[in-house]
Amino acid sequence: MKAFSYQRATSPMDAAAKATVTPGARFIAGGTNLLDLMKLEIEAPTHLIDVNGIGLDKIEKTEEGGLRIGALVRNTDLAAHEDVRRDYGLLSRALLAGASGQLRNKATTAGNLLQRTRCPYFYDTQQPCNKRKPGSGCSAIGGVSRQLAVVGASPACIATHPSDMAVALRALDAVVETVDAKGMARAIPIADFHRLPGETPDVETALTPGELITAVTLPKPAGGKHIYHKVRDRASYAFALVSVGAIVQKDGSGRVALGGVAHKPWRVEPADALLRRGAKPVIEHLLADAQPTAENSFKVTLVERTLAAVLAEARA
C-alpha cells in the first residue's frame, strides 16, 4: 500500500471542500472496497477523508411519503429497518443477498453504490485494463468472459456492476442526493447515476470531483410483491451471474431490473409494460441489444428462466 495522508471531515460540505483542495483525495467510510484496492495498489489515493462522523447515518420519512436513507447507513441496519422490510422488501432482500454479515456491518449505502465496476482482469495489474489505465486495452475481450456483460458493454470494457443493492434501487426509482464544496445540492435519478463504459470505462458515475453523496431517497411505496432472485456460482458471498429484482402487482403489472449483465444495474422501462405477457417478451425487450461472448451467451437464457421463476413466485 502506498503512503497517504488522512483527516476527518466535520460536515458534508467540509468533506467536499477537503476533497477539492487536495488532488487525488478519496472519501472513506467502511472502506470495504477501497482498502482492498489500495492494498493491491490498484487505487492509490494520496489523501483519505474520513466521513464517518458527519451525521449521515439516519433513515427518515420524507414529506412525500417516501424514505430518505443517509449515505452512511450501514447495509445491515438498512436491511433490518422496519420501514424498509415492510415497504421496500426488494431492497432488504437484495442487501441480504449481497455479502457476508461482516461486510454488511461495515459497508455503507453510498459505498455500496460506489463499488468499482470490475472483472478479474481489473485485479491483475500485469494485464491491460482500461479502468486502471485508460487506453491500455481490455484483457477481458477475447479472454475469460463467463461472468461478464452481455448488454450495454463497449469495445473498451465488458465488466459488470457488482452491487445487489443498486439493482433494487434501480427498480425502486431511487434518487441519489449529493453536495459539493460550494454547498450546492444535486438530486441524481439512479437511472443516470451509473454510466455505461463507452470510451471512458474508468468514469463510472455522474459524480464530479469532490462531490459527496449525502443520501438516497425512495419514493412512496409501490406496493405489490417484492422479489429478488440471485443466481451465482456458489451459495454465498459471490457476485451474481444473473440477478432479477422485481415488483409485481396483483394485476401482473410491475417493474424489473437486472444485475450481473451490464456495466450498471440494467432496466429498460418500456419492458415493464410487457410483464403481464410473461418472461420471454420482457427479456426480448430488455436484452434486445445484447452482444454476448461465446462464454457468456448462456446468460440470456438464464435471465429469462430467472425472471420466469420470479413471476411464478409472484403469482403464487
Side-chain angles (χ1 to χ4, degrees), residues 25-261:
R26 294 289 301 275
F27 302 121
I28 187 166
T32 57
N33 187 211
L34 178 59
L35 287 177
D36 283 345
L37 297 179
M38 288 174 65
K39 291 172 185 176
L40 295 169
E41 297 189 3
I42 294 170
E43 295 271 10
T46 58
H47 187 63
L48 291 184
I49 301 166
D50 189 331
V51 295
N52 281 295
I54 61 176
L56 302 177
D57 58 352
K58 303 291 191 298
I59 301 175
E60 303 169 313
K61 294 282 185 67
T62 66
E63 294 181 358
E64 296 76 22
L67 214 59
R68 175 172 286 106
I69 302 161
L72 297 175
V73 173
R74 263 46 186 185
N75 286 177
T76 294
D77 297 330
L78 182 57
H81 194 274
E82 181 181 359
D83 291 338
V84 174
R85 294 179 62 189
R86 181 186 63 243
D87 298 326
Y88 306 96
L90 175 58
L91 177 56
S92 183
R93 292 178 174 91
L95 284 164
L96 293 174
S100 67
Q102 293 93 332
L103 281 174
R104 291 198 301 271
N105 287 343
K106 293 292 291 181
T108 63
T109 301
N112 195 313
L113 284 176
L114 292 173
Q115 292 180 80
R116 293 299 305 270
T117 302
R118 54 202 189 266
C119 79
Y121 294 100
F122 174 76
Y123 286 105
D124 187 348
T125 56
Q126 302 304 309
Q127 299 285 342
C129 173
N130 287 318
K131 284 185 171 296
R132 280 188 282 103
K133 185 178 180 181
S136 63
C138 176
S139 298
I141 296 176
V144 178
S145 58
R146 179 176 179 273
Q147 293 181 308
L148 305 183
V150 297
V151 68
S154 78
C157 183
I158 58 171
T160 50
H161 196 275
S163 174
D164 294 280
M165 183 191 81
V167 176
L169 293 179
R170 183 69 180 88
L172 289 165
D173 289 326
V175 174
V176 181
E177 297 182 354
T178 70
V179 69
D180 65 15
K182 296 180 180 179
M184 297 295 293
R186 197 158 63 116
I188 308 171
I190 191 70
D192 301 326
F193 183 77
H194 294 106
R195 293 166 50 109
L196 292 177
E199 296 180 355
T200 56
D202 56 307
V203 182
E204 297 178 351
T205 72
L207 295 177
T208 58
E211 193 172 12
L212 177 74
I213 297 175
T214 55
V216 172
T217 57
L218 302 177
K220 289 177 62 175
K225 284 196 174 183
H226 290 222
I227 302 171
Y228 189 75
H229 276 203
K230 180 177 181 178
V231 181
R232 44 193 161 182
D233 282 327
R234 61 178 186 265
S236 65
Y237 194 42
F239 295 143
L241 281 173
V242 159
S243 65
V244 174
I247 302 171
V248 185
Q249 306 296 337
K250 289 182 179 180
D251 63 0
S253 64
R255 56 183 80 162
V256 61
L258 305 178
V261 299

